[in-house]
Amino acid sequence: MAVGTGRAVPPSAAEEDPVAPPGRARRRRSRPESVRRGDLRPALLFLSPWIVGFLVFTAWPVGYTFYLSLTDYDVINDPSFVGLDNYRAVAQDDDARRAMANTIFYTAFQVPLYVVVSLGLAMLLNQAGRASGFFRTVFFLPNMTPPVATGVLLLFLFNGQNGLVNDVLGWVGIDGPNWTSDPTWVKPGLILMSLLSVGGSVIILLAALRNVPEELYDAARVDGAGFLRRTWSVTVPMISGSLLFVFIVNTIAALQSFTEAYTAFFGVGNTTYSNEAAEFYVIHVFRQAFEFLQMGYASALAWVLFVVIMGITAVQLYVSKRLVFYQGDQ
Amino acid sequence: MRRTAMLVAAGALTVSGCAQGSGGGTAEPLSSDDFAETATAEGPLTVMGFGTADDEIAQQRLQRAEEALGDTEVQLIEGELDMQQFLSSVASGDVPGIINADRAQIGTLASRGAVMPLTECLSQRGVDTSVFVESALAQVTFDGQVYGIPEFNTVQLTMANQELLDEAGLTVEDVNGSSWEDVTAATEQLFVEEGGRIEVIGYDSKLPEFLPLWVHANGGSMISDDGRTATLDSPEVVEALEWAVSIYDLQGGFGDVKAAREIPDFFGDTNQFATGVLGAMPMEQWYVNVLNEVSADAPMAFDTVYSRQGEPIAFANGAAWAIPVGSANPAAACTFATTMVETESWMAAAEARATAREEAGLQFTGLLTGNQEADRQIQDELVQPSGEENWDHAVEVLYAANDNTVAFPANPADAEFKQAWQDAVNRVLNGQQEPQEAMSQAQEEAQEALDERWAAWDEEQDG
């Protein structure tokens, strides 16, 4: 049972066709390449709507934002080049550091919890039989809720005086905190609230679970493995590719958290009350851009976040090489 | 193939490059002809930040403005002015003809060259600026030039639950702010807590938003009259913050009070006064209208907010019409704005509101327009006693408050100034800092922003 070894090694020509002579293998490898070359033009033609869209609506704005990050720009007047001044200002910006620390804290706790809850629910659904479809829909429904509504809902569910969360805690004798004003509890409240949207990840992991061959579980049972052992040694390795995907995508999403926290603590939920504990990095970027009209500086802040996300993702991918198993690598 | 890819990339860059626009602040200098009624209109007049849905006050005035504009079509971009939307329109070169902005934003927009000075516009339309509420006009006057035309005035009143006051042996005078000691004592008497839960909030000092009101009540100010110097760490400011926060501390802390005040249906018939879960608070005058409509039977008591010297006070804000630099049709925009705020338009609007309220069996609770002449006429000619003493008194004190307003002066760093003091108050409310420390930090942050923006403005003027 070759699970959990992870590292993807390209198959050699001989592995492609063990009985073929070396020369034959080279010919067979080159033929598909020539076929692909011939298909390239029509393929690009079919892809062109996406390519043009990507260039116009993603690549160009990203590139232009980098240019703006080197300027003093208030949107109203023309940008003026200031070199790396904005990046130097970012390095000295205490508020940016605090916002980044908030974001890293949120990400460090939210993502693992999110993945664990997603996996737990997916495993339950995998055992649910006919009821699985109904519960899939139920779990996915909160994903259809606008994030702004989720932000407002947070203020009611986590209300320190009469919120449902504290009511439930009260049943077991716990005097719940003021989730929406105590700086210590603001981020935990946001983390718990984010679990409402696990539905998307649950669906992905459920699909992965259904692809795990039943024979592996049978073999493990014959070997005397219990539920936890089967989960750890069969389930997790076999769906590790999907887990990595969910982990990376949610890490990026967590690092870009904005709407729920902004709504609850800076936007429509509170026009004047705010809580620094909820000021995530993207909220800081947004406020610099659209409240203080410092679009050049905000662009520099955004590029710093881009680099941070790239770095974290690269580390995740590097570490995953030793941990993730892809079935195609067998 | 490489050539094809290059063509695709070049095409994409060309298309996206076209969307950059020319931005604002670079338009040709204005001449007096720009506002002349004979100026050639260029297409429709787009109005951003103004809507008319179910609002006879807006509908009546819009109708009169459209009549004044003749053939020029008016296109509304409804909803509150969204700065993101406005800036996007400026960046793309598709500047709206006129905007309806928060008066507090005018100084910032003016200092960055985003809106036109309107002195010539007002002069050519024969508008007597002395009709505007003085504090409202000051809010839109930046460095000696008028950049906005005020409309509406928002003031605070003391609102209280008379039944709760009676049960505690208090009167509305005990919670109108004339004596902070009395308010503190009343808070303790009115406050009810059971099992760790707040059943009745005794008094809500409405932080962070009403700190300027309490500072003014304490005889202080948060910024100099010329808008150049922040005074956020002055003794009057710190003392006002300490007192307003102490009101929450008496009731278990801000966190508990905030949580308790978020629960009631603020705009419905189970609001905090109708359900008897709030003793008293200062609140903007528009809420009188809401309460009268949804819970006319609530045992309400009203008064102005008083300074510690016993004078009625209010910290005012409102909206203003401003014409963006680059507006395709400044003459039409000028006509539109001046018509919207002229006394006759307000009277027509108020008559429509009074009629609608009468038909609905409701009291007309007055209208604060930002135009003193219109306010007086509306009060004299359209406000009728309802026979309900508390509601009639509400309207009386509403006009009294309107006669005693102050506001922050226009300055080029309003957003940064506001964030500095509000963040400071929030740090205190969240238990992160003491008032003196928080306001000292706020003073530093606000003054740095003011210095930077004023320096940029002064340099531009000198250049």
Side-chain angles (χ1 to χ4, degrees):
Chain A
M1 196 165 67
V3 294
T5 52
R7 183 162 187 143
V9 180
S12 68
E15 283 171 338
E16 278 184 28
D17 187 351
V19 294
R24 173 108 182 262
R26 276 196 296 276
R27 279 198 304 280
R28 287 187 64 183
R29 195 173 57 211
S30 62
R31 188 182 296 163
E33 281 178 4
S34 65
V35 172
R36 281 201 298 272
R37 199 172 292 129
D39 290 343
L40 190 57
R41 193 180 295 266
L44 281 174
L45 190 65
F46 281 113
L47 284 170
S48 60
W50 182 87
I51 291 172
V52 171
F54 174 78
L55 288 171
V56 173
F57 296 114
T58 304
W60 166 251
V62 167
Y64 192 65
T65 303
F66 181 69
Y67 161 68
L68 288 181
S69 75
L70 304 174
T71 68
D72 180 10
Y73 181 47
D74 65 1
V75 186
I76 294 161
N77 297 287
D78 293 335
S80 60
F81 188 75
V82 295
L84 296 173
D85 283 2
N86 286 327
Y87 289 94
R88 290 191 194 96
V90 172
Q92 295 164 358
D93 184 347
D94 291 339
D95 293 341
R97 268 199 294 276
R98 187 190 61 235
M100 182 59 84
N102 285 339
T103 308
I104 297 290
F105 176 96
Y106 175 81
T107 305
F109 287 93
Q110 190 264 356
V111 175
L113 186 62
Y114 194 93
V115 173
V116 167
V117 171
S118 300
L119 179 60
L121 290 174
M123 290 173 72
L124 283 174
L125 278 180
N126 202 29
Q127 304 294 321
R130 288 185 178 179
S132 170
F134 171 75
F135 285 110
R136 261 200 325 254
T137 308
V138 170
F139 289 149
F140 197 76
L141 272 179
N143 284 52
M144 313 293 280
T145 309
V148 171
T150 306
V152 174
L153 191 62
L154 180 147
L155 294 176
F156 289 99
L157 287 179
F158 287 85
N159 184 287
Q161 287 282 305
N162 296 294
L164 182 64
V165 172
N166 276 7
D167 282 350
V168 171
L169 290 174
W171 296 342
V172 291
I174 297 173
D175 185 15
N178 277 316
W179 300 89
T180 60
S181 57
D182 185 339
T184 309
W185 290 100
V186 163
K187 282 191 285 289
L190 284 163
I191 289 169
L192 291 175
M193 196 68 192
S194 74
L195 298 180
L196 264 185
S197 63
V198 292
S201 298
V202 170
I203 300 297
I204 292 169
L205 294 178
L206 179 62
L209 285 172
R210 297 213 162 150
N211 277 336
V212 179
E214 193 59 33
E215 298 80 28
L216 295 178
Y217 291 114
D218 292 340
R221 283 193 195 93
V222 168
D223 289 344
F227 171 75
L228 288 178
R229 183 67 182 169
R230 288 200 304 276
T231 302
W232 184 249
S233 298
V234 178
T235 307
V236 171
M238 290 303 289
I239 65 166
S240 54
S242 298
L243 279 172
L244 174 68
F245 173 77
V246 168
F247 205 87
I248 288 179
V249 166
N250 282 302
T251 300
I252 294 170
L255 289 167
Q256 295 178 335
S257 289
F258 174 78
T259 310
E260 291 86 348
Y262 186 81
T263 305
F265 295 101
F266 299 91
V268 292
N270 291 284
T271 51
T272 56
Y273 174 73
S274 63
N275 200 311
E276 289 176 350
E279 187 173 10
F280 292 139
Y281 194 83
V282 178
I283 293 176
H284 186 62
V285 174
F286 179 84
R287 298 182 84 188
Q288 293 297 321
F290 295 106
E291 289 182 22
F292 309 134
L293 311 184
Q294 298 191 44
M295 194 62 76
Y297 181 60
S299 300
L301 284 166
W303 266 89
V304 169
L305 179 63
F306 176 73
V307 170
V308 168
I309 290 176
M310 286 286 285
I312 290 175
T313 306
V315 169
Q316 287 176 329
L317 286 173
Y318 178 77
V319 171
S320 75
K321 283 180 183 174
R322 299 179 185 178
L323 302 173
V324 174
F325 165 70
Y326 296 101
Q327 289 189 58
D329 290 349
Q330 282 180 113
Chain B
M1 191 58 240
R2 187 177 294 168
R3 196 174 54 187
T4 309
M6 291 287 284
L7 280 173
V8 170
L13 291 175
T14 307
V15 170
S16 53
C18 289
Q20 282 181 71
S22 55
T26 53
E28 293 294 314
L30 286 173
S31 77
S32 57
D33 291 342
D34 287 315
F35 293 120
E37 289 184 88
T38 53
T40 310
E42 294 179 24
L45 176 70
T46 51
V47 181
M48 186 181 275
F50 179 80
T52 61
D54 296 329
D55 178 8
E56 56 279 345
I57 302 291
Q59 288 163 355
Q60 285 292 322
R61 294 185 303 132
L62 178 63
Q63 189 181 329
R64 286 178 58 86
E66 284 176 327
E67 286 167 8
L69 286 172
D71 293 335
T72 302
E73 184 194 352
V74 175
Q75 292 180 344
L76 300 183
I77 303 170
E78 301 212 22
E80 268 186 38
L81 182 71
D82 179 347
M83 194 52 81
Q84 196 175 351
Q85 185 184 22
F86 173 61
L87 293 176
S88 300
S89 72
V90 171
S92 66
D94 185 21
V95 181
I98 188 166
I99 59 172
N100 191 255
D102 185 326
R103 284 207 286 271
Q105 296 172 315
I106 296 297
T108 298
L109 293 174
S111 71
R112 298 190 185 244
V115 294
M116 301 176 181
L118 299 180
T119 313
E120 191 64 34
C121 157
L122 292 165
S123 165
Q124 291 208 17
R125 297 297 183 280
V127 176
D128 174 10
T129 54
S130 69
V131 301
F132 297 119
V133 172
E134 196 178 336
S135 63
L137 189 63
Q139 269 189 295
V140 295
T141 304
F142 179 68
D143 210 20
Q145 290 254 48
V146 176
Y147 283 87
I149 302 178
E151 71 165 22
F152 294 115
N153 214 30
T154 305
V155 300
Q156 300 84 22
L157 307 178
T158 298
M159 303 185 189
N161 184 309
Q162 186 65 56
E163 276 182 12
L164 293 176
L165 291 176
D166 290 342
E167 286 170 15
L170 300 167
T171 67
V172 73
E173 285 76 23
D174 293 309
V175 290
N176 67 9
S178 55
S179 163
W180 286 3
E181 293 74 20
D182 286 353
V183 176
T184 301
T187 303
E188 287 180 301
Q189 288 176 262
L190 292 165
F191 174 68
V192 179
E193 184 186 35
E194 277 182 28
R197 284 194 175 173
I198 296 177
E199 299 293 324
V200 177
I201 299 171
Y203 186 85
D204 186 352
S205 51
K206 296 283 285 180
L207 289 182
E209 60 264 40
F210 285 173
L211 179 67
L213 177 72
W214 299 125
V215 171
H216 182 51
N218 201 26
S221 65
M222 294 166 73
I223 189 169
S224 61
D225 289 343
D226 62 4
R228 287 179 180 265
T229 310
T231 52
L232 295 176
D233 58 352
S234 67
E236 294 86 357
V237 175
V238 174
E239 187 184 22
L241 178 57
E242 285 173 341
W243 173 76
V245 171
S246 75
I247 292 295
Y248 293 124
D249 291 341
L250 286 171
Q251 303 173 90
F254 175 74
D256 286 351
V257 177
K258 176 181 178 289
R261 79 184 182 189
E262 281 173 351
I263 288 300
D265 177 16
F266 197 75
F267 293 96
D269 57 3
T270 55
N271 61 73
Q272 64 281 6
F273 287 118
T275 52
V277 296
L278 172 64
M281 68 174 178
M283 184 61 200
E284 285 101 348
Q285 93 281 356
W286 53 262
Y287 198 51
V288 172
N289 209 36
V290 173
L291 292 172
N292 183 260
E293 196 165 317
V294 299
S295 55
D297 295 333
M300 294 303 303
F302 299 96
D303 203 347
T304 53
V305 178
Y306 285 82
S307 71
R308 297 180 81 180
Q309 289 71 43
E311 300 295 326
I313 54 160
F315 198 85
N317 200 9
W321 293 104
I323 304 178
V325 170
S327 166
N329 206 342
C334 178
T335 300
F336 180 89
T338 51
T339 307
M340 290 292 280
V341 302
E342 68 186 8
T343 303
E344 293 75 13
S345 296
W346 286 117
M347 284 302 291
E351 279 172 21
R353 165 68 60 84
T355 303
R357 300 279 294 181
E358 190 178 357
E359 286 171 358
L362 297 166
Q363 182 184 1
F364 174 53
T365 54
L367 181 66
L368 299 185
T369 66
N371 174 334
Q372 297 177 98
E373 185 180 71
D375 289 344
R376 202 54 62 204
Q377 279 191 32
I378 291 168
Q379 186 184 14
D380 292 345
E381 297 174 23
L382 297 173
V383 173
Q384 302 293 330
S386 67
E388 298 285 340
E389 194 182 340
N390 56 345
W391 295 108
D392 290 341
H393 188 58
V395 180
E396 277 175 37
V397 299
L398 177 156
Y399 280 102
N402 192 45
D403 291 337
N404 293 277
T405 58
V406 292
F408 287 140
N411 71 78
D414 173 73
E416 292 91 338
F417 175 76
K418 190 165 73 176
Q419 193 200 12
W421 73 257
Q422 288 186 351
D423 281 357
V425 176
N426 286 321
R427 286 194 296 272
V428 175
L429 294 174
N430 295 332
Q432 295 163 297
Q433 280 182 326
E434 291 299 313
Q436 180 68 62
E437 182 191 5
M439 297 317 293
S440 294
Q441 181 183 329
Q443 169 68 21
E444 204 174 303
E445 292 167 353
Q447 194 57 54
E448 186 181 333
L450 285 168
D451 288 345
E452 187 182 327
R453 293 310 313 162
W454 273 111
W457 170 257
D458 291 339
E459 191 179 328
E460 194 178 309
Q461 299 309 298
D462 294 343

